[in-house]
């Protein structure tokens, strides 16, 4: 019982938080849905062989993603604090579980460094789309247009800074006002537009090849590395394993149904990814693009779909605007991890914490912004900084954080407190489900992640 008292910081009452139940869902969804769905999911599905990858990814989301997400939100709401303070106060004295949070802050910088650059491409594409250069379905033309953007160091940096400054301004407006307002209004529009684009793409001649690629599994392409990539994507997609959902959980209301919120976010997130896949792959095959094009896939394929539809020019601009907004919801949540830590633990004012974070990011982010131009020859472990940060966070750091969280919840926190928190002190009748989730988190997820990591990285 003593621990229970220790875990509620005194300042909790005055913390900014989400004001309504729908706001909680929208903001959490705003964190999950982003470039991960629209850019990363399609390109990884393309480079990893299509439907087989999708099956593994869905399994990873269910078996690893959901339990970790529920656990993370639960811990954050319990402690009502940044990730570091949460782990420090909830863990028994002297045990170093806070390492998960420290690694999480590091991850948040590394992810933001490349994520802000992809967002930079999207911002730039909003303006490119307004002109006429993207009105074509010629793979060569769209590839060249993308190539000329990313190989131009000045443009790459400029757009990244525009992204970072915009994010700084939104963050200064505070949690409930800034994040909630933006995500609540624009997410539904993005869903709608993706459905329209998806339908158009499905009607293209030759679309069925794309559907086959996306839905007819060929498991011969599934290697250990592919499985690790799918698990990494599950972490990246659900914003888990590094304290992000924990930080958002700290803004959750006491009466919020955490398991059901997590499940809904997971389903909606998967749905958006599928829509993005359905918008892109039929077009890939219809117009002769390459499914394994890699990170450029979205940027070179999607203009072709818009080019072939009525009012396509207008819709293309709207599409990139909404994608930019989605990326901002995700970045807000990523940035909240270091900012909450700096302002609460190191007693910085929120503006000071925000600008410090942005300043560091402008520096670290430069290495990613220039990865396709000036610094393209600068490699560690055979990867540019852009690729390295992406690989290290999704395939190593977040899965490790996930193992840590599962072990903490399963073996230290225990089922009794797990149940108390997730039934909202007996208000919800979901105990049966909680048993299952708890045992997955306690045994199945950590072993699965560990084996996948060791095999995927070539250790066993
Ligand atoms: N999930 C977001 C996306 O798919 C990205 C993101 C937001 C994220 N917060 C995160 C990824 C925390 C990892 C960790 O675009």
């Amino acid at each position: 019982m003593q621990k229970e008292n220790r875990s509620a910081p005194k300042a909790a009452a005055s913390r900014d938080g989400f004001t309504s139940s729908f706001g909680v869902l929208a903001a959490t969804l705003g964190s999950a849905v982003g470039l991960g769905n629209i850019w990363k999911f399609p390109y990884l599905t393309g480079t990893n062989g299509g439907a087989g990858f999708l099956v593994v990814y869905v399994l990873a989301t269910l078996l690893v993603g959901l339990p970790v997400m529920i656990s993370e939100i639960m811990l954050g709401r319990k402690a009502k604090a940044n990730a570091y303070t949460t782990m420090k106060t909830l863990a028994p004295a002297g045990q170093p579980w806070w390492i998960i949070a420290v690694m999480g802050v590091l991850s948040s910088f590394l992810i933001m460094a490349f994520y802000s650059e992809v967002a930079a491409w999207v911002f730039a594409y909003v303006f490119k789309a307004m002109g006429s250069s993207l009105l074509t379905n010629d793979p060569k033309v769209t590839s060249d247009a993308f190539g000329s953007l990313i190989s131009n160091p000045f443009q790459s940096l400029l757009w990244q800074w525009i992204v970072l400054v915009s994010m700084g301004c939104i963050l200064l407006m505070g949690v409930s006002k800034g994040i909630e307002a933006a995500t609540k209004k624009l997410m539904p529009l993005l869903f709608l537009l993706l459905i329209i684009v998806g339908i158009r793409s499905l009607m293209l001649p030759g679309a069925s090849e794309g559907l086959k690629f996306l839905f007819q599994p060929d498991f011969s392409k599934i290697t250990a590395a592919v499985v690790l990539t799918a698990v990494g994507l599950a972490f990246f997609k659900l914003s888990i394993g590094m304290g992000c959902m924990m930080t958002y959980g700290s803004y959750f209301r006491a009466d919020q149904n955490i398991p059901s919120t997590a499940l809904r976010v997971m389903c909606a997130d998967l749905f958006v990814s599928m829509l993005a896949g359905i918008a892109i792959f039929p077009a890939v095959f219809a117009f002769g693009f390459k499914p394994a094009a890699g990170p450029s896939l979205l940027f070179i394929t999607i203009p072709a779909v818009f080019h072939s539809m009525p009012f396509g020019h207008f819709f293309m601009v709207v599409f990139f605007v909404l994608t930019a907004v989605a990326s901002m919801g995700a970045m807000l949540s990523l940035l909240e991890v270091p900012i909450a830590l700096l302002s609460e633990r190191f007693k910085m004012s929120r503006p000071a914490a925000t600008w410090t974070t942005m300043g560091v990011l402008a520096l670290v982010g430069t290495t990613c912004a220039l990865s396709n131009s000036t610094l393209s020859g600068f490699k560690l472990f055979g990867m540019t900084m852009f690729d390295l940060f992406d690989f290290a966070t999704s395939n190593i750091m977040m899965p490790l954080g996930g193992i840590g969280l599962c072990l903490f919840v399963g073996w230290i926190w225990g089922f009794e407190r797990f149940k108390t928190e997730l039934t909202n002190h007996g208000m919800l009748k979901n105990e049966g489900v909680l048993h299952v989730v708890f045992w997955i988190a306690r045994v199945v997820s950590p072993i699965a992640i560990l084996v996948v990591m060791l095999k995927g990285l070539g250790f066993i």
Side-chain angles (χ1 to χ4, degrees):
M1 275 298 107
Q2 219 182 350
K3 252 181 231 116
E4 297 278 337
N5 290 334
R6 227 172 9 115
S7 60
K10 288 177 208 72
S14 63
R15 275 178 110 241
D16 199 358
F18 296 132
T19 49
S20 69
S21 177
F22 176 68
V24 172
L25 188 66
T28 312
L29 202 53
S31 165
V33 174
L35 298 173
N37 308 67
I38 297 168
W39 163 73
K40 202 174 199 201
F41 169 81
Y43 109 63
L44 285 181
T45 305
T47 49
N48 289 291
F53 176 79
L54 180 60
V55 172
V56 182
Y57 168 64
V58 172
L59 282 178
T61 305
L62 278 173
L63 282 183
V64 175
L66 203 55
V68 175
M69 187 175 188
I70 292 174
S71 305
E72 224 186 294
I73 295 177
M74 174 195 75
L75 296 176
R77 185 179 69 176
K78 177 68 191 164
K80 295 214 175 1
N82 62 79
Y84 176 82
T85 311
T86 297
M87 292 317 290
K88 193 93 182 160
T89 47
L90 297 186
Q95 294 187 10
W97 294 96
W98 49 264
I99 291 174
I100 300 172
V102 171
M103 197 168 62
V105 172
L106 188 63
S107 304
S108 112
F109 278 104
L110 296 182
I111 295 170
M112 266 305 289
F114 71 86
Y115 202 94
S116 60
E117 184 54 25
V118 183
W121 301 338
V122 174
F123 275 48
Y125 260 61
V126 170
F127 292 89
K128 263 190 197 284
M130 287 178 186
S132 57
S133 64
L134 296 179
L135 293 177
T136 168
N137 54 20
D138 181 348
K140 177 149 173 27
V141 178
T142 56
S143 302
D144 287 350
F146 183 67
S148 74
L149 169 67
I150 65 168
S151 61
N152 180 326
F154 173 73
Q155 293 233 8
S156 304
L157 264 184
L158 178 71
W159 285 108
Q160 188 184 43
W161 285 0
I162 292 176
V163 169
L164 292 177
V165 171
S166 322
M167 296 314 299
C169 294
I170 296 182
L171 271 163
L172 290 175
M173 296 177 353
V175 177
S176 52
K177 286 187 229 98
I179 301 184
E180 240 183 273
T183 43
K184 227 195 269 188
K185 292 201 188 84
L186 292 162
M187 276 297 136
L189 277 183
L190 179 66
F191 280 33
L192 195 69
L193 186 63
L194 276 174
I195 292 176
I196 298 175
V197 185
I199 292 175
R200 173 61 201 143
S201 195
L202 282 176
M203 287 171 3
L204 290 169
S208 58
E209 273 305 299
L211 283 183
K212 257 193 224 149
F213 183 78
L214 198 54
F215 294 112
Q216 214 173 68
D218 167 8
F219 291 106
S220 67
K221 298 202 177 96
I222 306 296
T223 62
V226 170
V227 178
L228 178 58
T229 306
V231 171
L233 180 63
F235 277 91
F236 187 90
K237 277 305 318 119
L238 298 175
S239 316
I240 53 176
M242 46 74 78
C244 182
M245 276 300 143
M246 201 181 276
T247 310
Y248 264 40
S250 74
Y251 304 120
F252 268 47
R253 292 153 23 122
D255 61 355
Q256 186 83 17
N257 185 338
I258 295 178
S260 115
T261 305
L263 182 67
R264 280 196 256 176
V265 168
M266 189 210 90
C267 291
D269 181 70
L270 200 58
F271 182 63
V272 178
S273 296
M274 296 312 306
L275 286 179
I278 291 173
I280 289 177
F281 285 105
V284 165
F285 289 90
F287 296 118
F289 291 92
K290 290 197 179 55
S296 64
L297 185 69
L298 166 74
F299 298 92
I300 62 179
T301 314
I302 211 80
V305 188
F306 283 109
H307 178 62
S308 66
M309 74 192 247
F311 309 108
H313 196 178
F314 168 74
F315 279 134
M316 177 153 61
V317 177
V318 177
F319 172 81
F320 282 112
V321 169
L322 293 176
T323 305
V325 172
S327 78
M328 290 166 87
M331 283 189 282
L332 287 171
S333 73
L334 272 161
L335 291 165
E336 196 57 30
V337 177
I339 291 172
L341 177 75
L342 287 176
S343 58
E344 290 176 10
R345 164 103 190 126
F346 296 100
K347 306 273 175 280
M348 276 191 187
S349 69
R350 231 182 125 88
T354 305
W355 293 122
T356 307
T357 305
M358 291 304 168
V360 174
L361 270 178
L363 291 177
V364 187
T366 303
T367 61
C368 294
L370 301 182
S371 275
N372 292 298
S373 52
T374 322
L375 296 179
S376 62
F378 179 60
K379 292 185 175 170
L380 278 177
F381 306 105
M383 289 178 262
T384 61
M385 292 308 110
F386 184 106
D387 295 335
L388 180 67
F389 293 173
D390 186 358
F391 181 86
T393 48
S394 279
N395 295 5
I396 302 173
M397 296 168 74
M398 287 190 272
L400 276 181
I403 295 179
L405 285 163
C406 286
L407 293 180
F408 178 75
V409 167
W411 299 90
I412 307 281
W413 190 249
F415 185 68
E416 275 314 304
R417 282 187 283 184
F418 186 79
K419 188 180 83 185
T420 310
E421 286 308 312
L422 294 175
T423 56
N424 295 347
H425 298 265
M427 299 301 286
L428 305 171
K429 300 282 162 265
N430 52 4
E431 213 186 307
V433 181
L434 292 183
H435 270 289
V436 179
V437 177
F438 181 79
W439 279 92
I440 294 180
R442 182 173 154 112
V443 183
V444 182
S445 308
I447 295 179
I449 304 172
L450 189 69
V451 171
V452 167
M453 266 186 82
L454 294 178
K455 262 194 153 339
L457 296 171
F459 289 117
I460 51 175

